Amino acid sequence: EPEVTQTPSHQVTQMGQEVILRCVPISNHLYFYWYRQILGQKVEFLVSFYNNEISEKSEIFDDQFSVERPDGSNFTLKIRSTKLEDSAMYFCASKRSGLGQGTQYFGPGTRLLVL
Amino acid sequence: GDSVTQMEGPVTLSEEAFLTINCTYTATGYPSLFWYVQYPGEGLQLLLKATKADDKGSNKGFEATYRKETTSFHLEKGSVQVSDSAVYFCALSETQGGSEKLVFGKGTKLTVNP
């Protein structure tokens, strides 16, 4: 069964460094998402992406964050200058169908720790 | 915006016990409702969903019914197994201005003891 994959599974970085989290969505899916979960808190929406552009972004998704689909298979989340509060589990998700249809399928997550 | 409130855990049960995890939501429209499960060390997996009022989602012995009048989507299972130990997330899909996102509850950790 096709699945969403994410790399790395764990990432430790120093405050102020750039990190890139990678995701490979399911191959025939068209809608892509990033969510994050700070330890002990809710899973929060960060950004949605369709047709090579951002559809919606949350207040969390400030200028330090960017997303890209560089090669038609990968979907990346870049944090330009990490802060301590960026430490969280980051989940990628993808969906085949449009609004109100289909299901978002999630990857296993990348646990990011900023020191 | 829309929100989801679910029963805080942790919940500890013995094998074959009955499980209920409460979930209520606040939404301006008519969202689809979901239960996702996260087994230890794994990602979020869809457990079941319901797309309109009075729909019942079911999977692996779990059930939840979309109750518009009480804005609830409680998860139930008649007889839990050790392998059901996981974190369970209630979620709704919020559609706004041509885009869609999931809004999650905080998650409920379930431990089932033999």
Side-chain angles (χ1 to χ4, degrees), chain A residues 2 43 61 63 65-66 69 73 86 89 95 107 112-113:
Chain A
V43 177
F61 195 89
D63 292 344
F65 290 86
S66 62
R69 189 154 160 80
S73 61
D86 293 329
M89 178 75 95
K95 187 161 83 90
L112 176 65
L113 178 61

Side-chain angles (χ1 to χ4, degrees), chain B residues 67-82:
Chain B
R67 299 277 187 213
K68 186 162 162 259
E69 63 276 12
T70 54
T71 61
S72 65
F73 193 55
H74 303 321
L75 182 68
E76 295 183 337
K77 186 174 186 183
S79 175
V80 293
Q81 305 301 312
V82 172

Side-chain angles (χ1 to χ4, degrees), chain A residues 22-89:
Chain A
R22 290 186 166 78
C23 169
V24 179
I26 294 172
S27 62
N28 62 350
H29 284 193
L30 302 175
Y31 299 81
F32 313 111
Y33 307 84
W34 283 100
Y35 293 82
R36 80 171 185 189
Q37 185 183 29
I38 295 172
L39 192 64
Q41 297 187 24
K42 295 185 179 188
V43 177
E44 303 171 286
F45 168 78
L46 290 178
V47 65
S48 58
F49 191 87
Y50 169 70
N51 202 25
N52 279 320
E53 58 183 31
I54 290 174
S55 309
E56 185 182 354
K57 57 184 181 180
S58 71
E59 290 175 358
I60 303 165
F61 195 89
D62 62 22
D63 292 344
Q64 294 301 313
F65 290 86
S66 62
V67 288
E68 197 178 30
R69 189 154 160 80
D71 56 13
S73 61
N74 289 282
F75 179 51
T76 61
L77 174 69
K78 183 194 288 187
I79 309 175
R80 239 178 296 279
S81 177
T82 48
K83 307 188 200 79
L84 295 176
E85 54 265 36
D86 293 329
S87 295
M89 178 75 95

Side-chain angles (χ1 to χ4, degrees), chain B residues 37-114:
Chain B
V37 58
Q38 186 177 30
Y39 297 103
E42 299 185 17
L44 297 167
Q45 298 176 25
L46 178 69
L47 181 59
L48 54 84
K49 70 177 187 181
T51 57
K52 60 184 189 297
D54 300 326
D55 266 4
K56 179 188 279 189
S58 60
N59 186 26
K60 299 181 183 180
F62 291 90
E63 291 182 341
T65 301
Y66 191 141
R67 299 277 187 213
K68 186 162 162 259
E69 63 276 12
T70 54
T71 61
S72 65
F73 193 55
H74 303 321
L75 182 68
E76 295 183 337
K77 186 174 186 183
S79 175
V80 293
Q81 305 301 312
V82 172
S83 56
D84 294 327
S85 298
V87 182
Y88 293 81
F89 294 91
C90 185
L92 62 78
S93 64
E94 180 181 279
T95 304
Q96 203 168 27
S99 66
E100 182 178 331
K101 65 187 181 196
L102 291 176
V103 176
F104 285 88
K106 205 167 175 178
T108 303
K109 183 175 180 180
L110 169 67
T111 302
V112 181
N113 294 318

